[in-house]
């Protein structure tokens, strides 16, 4: 029985530029600065990029950990283990892969499952 699945990737995260003036103050620090997830430094800029509810970045620090492409509110961003990735690199590095050919699945691929393993239909065959 053939089964169509969608690539098993984490939900993409919306990047929102936020005016720091509108951010609530950090109760542990004086002023309204936040800490950048990318560099760890305090954000004193007027604008920050917020990824998900609690991850904030300097605009210059939010880039793909693999290809160094800058990420902004116009592109898809994925975060895993504190690292941000563009969609292409996230799928290539961390997406679900066929247990035989090790290639990534596209969202339209038909697959075969056998217990915990997953295969492209054309890769699913007896190996004995």
């Amino acid at each position: 029985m053939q089964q169509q699945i969608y690539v098993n990737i984490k939900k993409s995260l919306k990047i929102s530029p936020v005016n720091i003036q509108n951010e609530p103050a950090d109760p542990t620090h004086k002023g309204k600065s936040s800490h950048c997830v990318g560099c760890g430094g305090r954000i004193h800029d007027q604008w920050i990029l917020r990824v998900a509810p609690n991850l904030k970045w300097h605009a210059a620090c939010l880039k793909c950990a693999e290809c160094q492409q800058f990420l902004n509110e116009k592109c898809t961003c994925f975060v895993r283990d504190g690292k941000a990735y563009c969609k292409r690199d996230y799928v290539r590095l961390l997406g679900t892969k066929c247990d035989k050919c090790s290639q990534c699945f596209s969202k339209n691929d038909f697959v075969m499952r056998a217990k915990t393993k997953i295969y492209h239909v054309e890769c699913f065959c007896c190996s004995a």
Side-chain angles (χ1 to χ4, degrees):
M1 176 177 170
Q2 291 183 355
Q3 189 178 31
Q4 186 174 16
I5 65 156
Y6 292 98
V7 178
N8 185 17
I9 58 177
K10 302 274 187 219
K11 182 180 175 190
S12 64
L13 301 171
K14 182 169 176 49
I15 302 170
S16 306
V18 176
N19 188 327
I20 196 77
Q21 306 286 326
N22 299 332
E23 283 290 291
D26 183 343
T28 61
H29 296 95
K30 293 182 176 163
K32 293 189 173 190
S33 64
S34 298
H35 284 85
C36 175
V37 175
C39 70
R42 301 221 20 224
I43 302 174
H44 298 289
D45 306 349
Q46 179 180 0
W47 292 92
I48 62 174
L49 293 176
R50 182 178 12 198
V51 179
N54 57 353
L55 301 176
K56 298 171 185 166
W57 305 72
H58 291 107
C61 292
L62 185 56
K63 52 189 170 181
C64 177
E66 187 68 16
C67 71
Q68 304 303 308
Q69 171 190 346
F70 284 100
L71 305 172
N72 57 34
E73 69 275 6
K74 296 179 181 103
C75 62
T76 305
C77 176
F78 296 85
V79 176
R80 176 121 173 224
D81 299 328
K83 294 180 182 177
Y85 297 94
C86 65
K87 182 177 183 179
R88 189 191 76 218
D89 286 331
Y90 185 89
V91 169
R92 182 176 58 82
L93 296 169
L94 304 165
T96 303
K97 295 177 178 66
C98 174
D99 278 283
K100 182 169 184 184
C101 72
S102 299
Q103 296 297 309
C104 293
F105 295 103
S106 77
K107 66 181 180 181
N108 296 320
D109 281 342
F110 285 95
V111 301
M112 295 295 290
R113 291 181 184 268
K115 294 190 179 184
T116 60
K117 300 192 180 278
I118 185 169
Y119 304 90
H120 291 106
V121 171
E122 55 275 6
C123 293
F124 186 74
C125 60
C126 293
S127 59

